[in-house]
Amino acid sequence: MYILVLTVPLLGALVSGLFGRKIGEKGAGIFTSGCLIISLSWSLLIFYETTLNFSTTYIKLWRWLDSDLVTAYFGLQFDSLTAVMLIVVTSISTLVHIFSTAYMDGDPHVPRFMSYLSLFTFFMILLVTSDNYPQLFIGWEGVGLCSYLLINFWLTRIEANKAAIKAMLVNRVGDIGFVLAMLAIWDQFGCLDFASVFNIVALAPSDNTTLICLFLFIGAVGKSAQLGLHTWLPDAMEGPTPVSALIHAATMVTAGVFLLIRSSPLLEQAPMALMVVTIVGSLTAFMAATIGLVQNDLKKVIAYSTCSQLGYMVMACGLSQYSISLFHLMNHAFFKALLFLSAGSVIHALADEQDMRKMGGLIRSIPFTYTMIVIGSLSLMGFPYLTGFYSKDLILELAYDQYYLAFAHWLGVFSALLTAAYSLRLIYLTFISNTNAKKEVFSQAHEGSWNLTLPLILLALGSIFVGYLTKEIIWSFQITLSPIIPTSIKLMPVIFSLFGAGTAVVLYHYSSRIFNAPTSPVGLAGYTFLYSAWQFNYIINHFLVQNVWRLGHLITFRVLDKGVLELIGPKGISQFMIRLTQEISNLQSGLVYNYALMIL
Amino acid sequence: MYYRYMIVAILLLLLGVLGIVLNRGHLIIMLMSIELILLAASFLFLINSMITDTLIEQVFTIMVLTVAAAESSIGLAIMVAYYRIKGTIAIKSLNWLRG
């Protein structure tokens, strides 16, 4: 019955996708949500079995790749890590399904949407339950594919299409790293399933482990939107809001961190790779937090905050604190899903307006959503005794302990300050400041129906209690002694967060000068730099994409297609032969005396 | 001692060939050149008959003469038919079939 957790979302996707016309919009919503609820209940049972009762389960299904050189089984592995991921994926996905039935109401393609969501969940479950790398890669590519399908769900919008193609292509850069890592693992160890590889690597460490880990990390960078390959994540906001919640909270971006956690025995043998992981993670956390400060799109602020929090998780992996990273992943899934779905509620209330500058004053018309977004933001800031507090501050404490990478700690703490600042900025601009919305839109603002609000309530409960409830369980995965650090350092993230939050409120409430800051030359330069996301898109487009584009035109089109193939390739040869035979046949002039001459 | 006769015969043969190749005028000249070639061939047969002192070449010569007569009559017939259609028997106008 363990396999049910995998097959039920697939069943939902198939039925809703193939027979969506038969079962109707409501039917598709109810059926897929019901399937997901079954899956969620089974994953709770699996959590009970594997984590609380310490009975890891392995299921070998069938032989899959079978040759002399490599043998891979199609198998499932349910251990503590998988169980935690299953709970995260299925619970968030269930709530997103229920939310979507309200949010997408009136859309002509609801069955297709629900089908894609379920397929997404299926691939993610396949990813977390696999017991070998190739099978994990199926899920890996599957979630990339489903993100493509979902980001351009409204496929008549050119922006959505471009964002989806970008998401697919940028992810593919990371996927190549993953494929190379698989090839290197196979070359080094001769097998691809986790159990064998991780046992061998501890016994016989080799020089190639660093290379393998770096390749794996490239894969994680692409999927988890770390520095360099993060540009697809903000653009992925073009999809419907439940999709953003699913992609950026529970499923897709967590896959990269999951891969790092899963490959922890490999990473442990490569200190060099761990250092790279820490540096990239902390830089991502800092960079995304600074960009989040100045974004005007409600969803993009939350997207950059996702990027930043993923930086924390990757940093924790780099510090060898994999279970803490997993803990933060779980907590983050809850409060980020809450934030995204609340943002969806705001957008729903304001008739699809996403610009924060055209919001404001919503605290009176939608107080429930306001409460939810405040809970989510406080949790994200690491406010004491909320979910984010337990994992985020722990990561920072552990980073302080690693004194050889002290700058990671400072970047992390400073990101915490910025996180608080942009969260409060979001709340202030959307709910508290005077309104800038159109009158007819603002007066129509309202809370959604029960299936829009119920997921928010459940996620808010999760954002408050999950960290407290599960901290002992997840900490127990890894025997780590808590570092002994001064109390001032322990308190610092909280103080910094409160300071950042207070600064944001003061700046926006009491000082109108902050709105004038971008008009001064220095302010303008800084604002442009941050608003355009550190110019990453420009740099990549200008120096990389355009050159590749030009190379494609010059080499493959002009030199290969028009040059080699047309001059000396098949086309050139055939043209030469035709000309030759025409000249030969011109010898037959029709004049009799020429024939006579030739005969003689 | 028969060399000079053979040289004459070969010269006649070459004359016929050149008549065919170089002739740009009428078909009749071409037909006459063919006759000349056949006569030169018959002449060579006869000389060989004298050299080898056998009769078989003379029999051959008679047959060649017969064939030549038949050939020139058919040739003339074709030419007449051609003249009826085209109104000319110039070889230069005979180039309708090209490669």
Side-chain angles (χ1 to χ4, degrees):
Chain A
M1 294 299 278
Y2 273 33
I3 304 172
L4 199 67
V5 78
L6 194 68
T7 49
V8 162
L10 182 63
L11 178 75
L14 288 179
V15 168
S16 175
L18 297 178
F19 307 108
R21 206 172 271 267
K22 295 254 166 56
I23 60 178
E25 293 185 8
K26 252 200 158 67
I30 292 170
F31 188 79
T32 49
S33 305
C35 286
L36 258 291
I37 288 170
I38 295 172
S39 188
L40 171 63
S41 53
W42 271 98
S43 56
L44 286 173
L45 198 74
I46 289 170
F47 184 76
Y48 172 76
E49 283 277 326
T50 59
T51 309
L52 300 182
N53 288 345
F54 301 106
S55 60
T56 304
T57 308
Y58 300 93
I59 302 171
K60 282 254 184 282
L61 288 179
W62 59 79
R63 237 173 223 269
W64 177 29
L65 299 173
D66 192 9
S67 72
D68 278 352
L69 296 171
V70 61
T71 305
Y73 285 87
F74 203 90
L76 305 175
Q77 171 179 356
F78 295 95
D79 54 5
S80 332
L81 170 59
T82 303
V84 173
M85 288 300 291
L86 272 180
I87 285 201
V88 169
V89 171
T90 52
S91 60
I92 303 293
S93 181
T94 308
L95 295 176
V96 166
H97 271 76
I98 296 170
F99 182 87
S100 302
T101 55
Y103 187 82
M104 300 301 285
D105 194 28
D107 195 280
H109 297 288
V110 171
R112 180 162 67 94
F113 187 73
M114 305 308 284
S115 167
Y116 287 166
L117 281 187
S118 287
L119 193 66
F120 202 129
T121 315
F122 162 72
F123 276 123
M124 192 65 197
I125 294 173
L126 185 68
L127 195 155
V128 297
T129 55
S130 75
D131 76 338
N132 53 21
Y133 279 108
Q135 193 187 334
L136 195 151
F137 191 66
I138 298 178
W140 188 269
E141 284 293 310
V143 292
L145 170 72
C146 286
S147 76
Y148 170 80
L149 292 172
L150 281 169
I151 290 169
N152 74 348
F153 175 71
W154 289 316
L155 45 87
T156 47
R157 298 174 55 218
I158 186 83
E159 285 299 323
N161 284 314
K162 278 154 77 176
I165 289 171
K166 187 174 180 185
M168 193 78 181
L169 290 182
V170 175
N171 263 303
R172 191 52 53 83
V173 176
D175 295 346
I176 288 170
F178 189 21
V179 171
L180 288 176
M182 279 202 287
L183 291 175
I185 287 170
W186 174 61
D187 183 46
Q188 187 70 37
F189 304 112
C191 52
L192 283 165
D193 51 329
F194 296 142
S196 318
V197 171
F198 297 158
N199 280 321
I200 297 169
V201 74
L203 293 173
S206 71
D207 303 335
N208 287 346
T209 318
T210 308
L211 191 70
I212 293 171
C213 291
L214 286 177
F215 280 144
L216 280 176
F217 182 56
I218 291 174
V221 163
K223 216 48 146 190
S224 288
Q226 297 297 300
L227 193 71
L229 297 179
H230 69 278
T231 50
W232 67 271
L233 190 64
D235 288 7
M237 290 297 125
E238 291 295 333
T241 310
V243 173
S244 312
L246 199 57
I247 292 181
H248 304 126
T251 51
M252 184 148 162
V253 291
T254 56
V257 181
F258 171 79
L259 180 68
L260 291 182
I261 299 173
R262 182 58 100 194
S263 312
S264 54
L266 279 171
L267 284 165
E268 279 307 293
Q269 305 296 328
M272 189 67 196
L274 280 179
M275 201 174 290
V276 174
V277 171
T278 313
I279 291 169
V280 173
S282 55
L283 280 177
T284 310
F286 177 69
M287 177 213 65
T290 55
I291 298 169
L293 270 182
V294 296
Q295 295 298 316
N296 288 323
D297 191 309
L298 183 63
K299 283 169 75 182
K300 276 198 178 168
V301 175
I302 309 176
Y304 277 109
S305 124
T306 304
C307 206
S308 173
Q309 297 301 312
L310 286 164
Y312 276 115
M313 292 175 215
V314 170
M315 187 171 91
C317 284
L319 301 171
S320 303
Q321 308 292 343
Y322 304 101
S323 55
I324 309 303
S325 177
L326 178 67
F327 187 38
H328 192 53
L329 193 160
M330 183 174 186
N331 299 342
H332 170 260
F334 282 99
F335 59 68
K336 193 48 60 74
L338 174 62
L339 278 174
F340 264 116
L341 295 189
S342 309
S345 177
V346 171
I347 293 164
H348 184 73
L350 284 181
D352 297 337
E353 178 59 59
Q354 291 197 17
D355 199 329
M356 284 201 293
R357 290 169 297 188
K358 295 180 186 168
M359 294 180 184
L362 290 173
I363 189 169
R364 287 183 199 288
S365 43
I366 44 172
F368 172 76
T369 309
Y370 169 71
T371 317
M372 291 301 135
I373 224 165
V374 165
I375 292 173
S377 294
L378 286 180
S379 196
L380 169 68
M381 285 184 235
F383 196 77
Y385 310 117
L386 291 181
T387 292
F389 172 71
Y390 292 101
S391 51
K392 191 170 159 185
D393 286 16
L394 188 60
I395 289 176
L396 293 174
E397 285 174 23
L398 293 166
Y400 183 78
D401 192 38
Q402 309 281 332
Y403 44 82
Y404 65 94
L405 281 172
F407 89 106
H409 171 72
W410 291 108
L411 279 179
V413 171
F414 198 60
S415 317
L417 189 152
L418 296 174
T419 306
Y422 65 66
S423 302
L424 258 292
R425 173 176 176 268
L426 188 150
I427 292 172
Y428 188 83
L429 285 181
T430 313
F431 291 100
I432 300 174
S433 69
N434 289 328
T435 186
N436 283 324
K438 288 178 190 160
K439 188 186 169 194
E440 62 270 24
V441 172
F442 186 70
S443 56
Q444 295 287 323
H446 59 283
E447 299 283 0
S449 54
W450 69 268
N451 44 0
L452 197 84
T453 49
L454 178 70
L456 295 184
I457 296 171
L458 294 177
L459 282 171
L461 292 178
S463 304
I464 298 171
F465 294 118
V466 161
Y468 175 71
L469 289 177
T470 58
K471 64 178 194 298
E472 300 294 339
I473 299 169
I474 299 186
W475 288 351
S476 70
F477 293 168
Q478 190 176 3
I479 303 149
T480 29
L481 295 172
S482 293
I484 300 168
I485 56 173
T487 317
S488 58
I489 301 292
K490 257 188 187 305
L491 285 177
M492 200 164 56
V494 175
I495 295 168
F496 264 54
S497 291
L498 292 178
F499 174 71
T503 315
V505 171
V506 167
L507 281 178
Y508 276 91
H509 196 66
Y510 294 110
S511 164
S512 58
R513 295 183 65 183
I514 189 163
F515 294 108
N516 296 329
T519 51
S520 71
V522 179
L524 189 64
Y527 181 79
T528 312
F529 179 66
L530 291 182
Y531 186 72
S532 56
W534 287 27
Q535 304 282 11
F536 262 105
N537 272 325
Y538 175 77
I539 291 167
I540 289 173
N541 280 342
H542 195 73
F543 291 104
L544 202 67
V545 177
Q546 271 191 356
N547 281 339
V548 172
W549 194 277
R550 209 171 292 141
L551 207 70
H553 180 77
L554 279 179
I555 301 293
T556 56
F557 180 66
R558 284 219 200 137
V559 173
L560 286 182
D561 281 3
K562 301 298 277 183
V564 174
L565 289 183
E566 292 205 359
L567 279 180
I568 56 173
K571 199 170 176 186
I573 289 176
S574 71
Q575 275 182 348
F576 173 74
M577 290 306 287
I578 287 170
R579 216 172 299 133
L580 189 71
T581 48
Q582 270 174 353
E583 275 171 17
I584 289 174
S585 78
N586 274 345
L587 285 176
Q588 191 185 0
S589 58
L591 292 169
V592 180
Y593 43 82
N594 284 356
Y595 299 159
L597 183 62
M598 271 185 277
I599 289 166
L600 293 170
Chain B
M1 58 187 288
Y2 296 105
Y3 287 141
R4 59 190 67 161
Y5 299 106
M6 283 183 82
I7 286 167
V8 169
I10 288 168
L11 281 178
L12 276 174
L13 196 89
L14 282 179
L15 194 64
V17 168
L18 288 177
I20 292 175
V21 172
L22 297 180
N23 169 34
R24 308 271 149 138
H26 295 292
L27 270 172
I28 291 177
I29 297 177
M30 187 175 275
L31 204 62
M32 284 157 64
S33 302
I34 292 169
E35 286 298 319
L36 196 59
I37 290 169
L38 289 170
L39 284 177
S42 313
F43 197 29
L44 277 169
F45 274 130
L46 291 179
I47 292 164
N48 269 314
S49 164
M50 293 303 290
I51 291 169
T52 55
D53 200 19
T54 48
L55 271 176
I56 187 87
E57 284 91 351
Q58 296 178 22
V59 176
F60 254 83
T61 305
I62 291 168
M63 289 173 74
V64 167
L65 282 177
T66 320
V67 168
E71 178 254 317
S72 57
S73 64
I74 292 171
L76 273 172
I78 290 172
M79 232 175 282
V80 168
Y82 184 71
Y83 181 76
R84 281 199 186 147
I85 296 166
K86 294 277 288 184
T88 176
I89 48 169
I91 302 176
K92 273 187 285 190
S93 64
L94 208 67
N95 59 351
W96 288 75
L97 285 173
R98 286 169 183 270

